[in-house]
């Protein structure tokens, strides 16, 4: 038998990132099948925050295209370092201050964390003419926790209609981060409230096709409740170091 070819692509057996991605894709497929949904009804957003560009490249070679980042500066650095991979799709999923909207408007394909109109207006005004409209989701605080980002369920309709009118944004859907709880019924209810809100908004004439909900610990439950995009970090990349600021 000849020696293994060192130049060949890393395989799942050799690199845990690939094994992890395949496991997550398998879990997404199983959850979709179990709830009778189409096999392609939920996408995988790989949340790469705190992990190096080398990890993104390994996953890219395996077919992963959508990556999520929480911090503007980290997003800027990674976009610059992956400029040779033009079909990467960058999703900004973290809190966004108004003084940081410009770089995000200039490099992101998606923003999931719209919680007030002012931020949306700035992104629309700052979106470069040559780029397609920026895809956005409105983040909704489905748990009602005081510390959580997101608009309230009561505010969401007015905000959604206003965002949908902005010229350079394309309102795609809703995003939530539910309460961290082992109570599966409570979690399911919070995911369900996001889906029901999207259904109400579509009945009012909006065209939302995205429910960004579900993370490493609760993606199967989110898919059962209608998620179309799960945001998965640690189940692919491993635990983020406790020392990391995020
Ligand atoms: C970090 C993060 C994720 C991924 O969380 P995991 O539990 O590591 O899968 C998803 N969504 C948002 C908004 C995040 O900040």
């Amino acid at each position: 038998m000849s020696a293994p070819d060192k130049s060949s692509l890393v395989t799942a057996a050799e690199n845990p990132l690939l094994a992890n991605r395949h496991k997550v894709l398998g879990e997404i497929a199983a959850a979709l099948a179990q709830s009778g949904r189409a096999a392609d009804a939920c996408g995988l957003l790989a949340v790469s925050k705190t992990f190096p560009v080398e990890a993104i490249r390994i996953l890219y070679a395996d077919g992963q295209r959508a990556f999520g980042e929480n911090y503007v500066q980290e997003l800027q650095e990674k976009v610059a370092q992956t400029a040779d991979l033009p079909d990467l799709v960058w999703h900004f999923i973290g809190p966004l201050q108004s003084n940081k909207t410009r770089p995000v408007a200039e490099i992101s394909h998606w923003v999931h964390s719209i919680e007030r109109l002012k931020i949306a207006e700035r992104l629309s005004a700052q979106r470069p003419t040559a780029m397609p409209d920026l895809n956005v989701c409105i983040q909704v605080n489905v748990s009602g926790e005081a510390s959580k980002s997101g608009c309230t369920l009561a505010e969401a309709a007015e905000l959604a209609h206003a965002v949908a009118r902005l010229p350079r944004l394309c309102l795609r859907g809703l995003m939530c981060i539910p309460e961290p709880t082992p109570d599966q019924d409570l979690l399911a209810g919070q995911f369900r409230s996001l889906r029901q809100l999207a259904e109400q908004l579509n009945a009012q004439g909006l065209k939302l096709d995205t429910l960004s909900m579900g993370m490493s610990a609760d993606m199967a439950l989110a898919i059962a409740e209608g998620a179309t995009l799960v945001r998965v970090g640690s189940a692919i990349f491993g635990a983020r170091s406790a020392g990391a600021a995020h």
Side-chain angles (χ1 to χ4, degrees), residues 47 49 70 93 175 177 215-216 231-234 240:
V47 178
K49 63 182 175 194
N70 281 55
I93 62 175
M175 179 271 231
I177 306 173
M215 318 201 317
S216 294
R231 308 180 308 270
V232 180
S234 48
R240 288 178 289 277

Side-chain angles (χ1 to χ4, degrees), residues 157-170:
E158 191 182 334
L159 179 58
H161 286 281
V163 168
R165 285 192 290 269
L166 293 173
R168 296 308 318 280
L169 303 188
C170 179

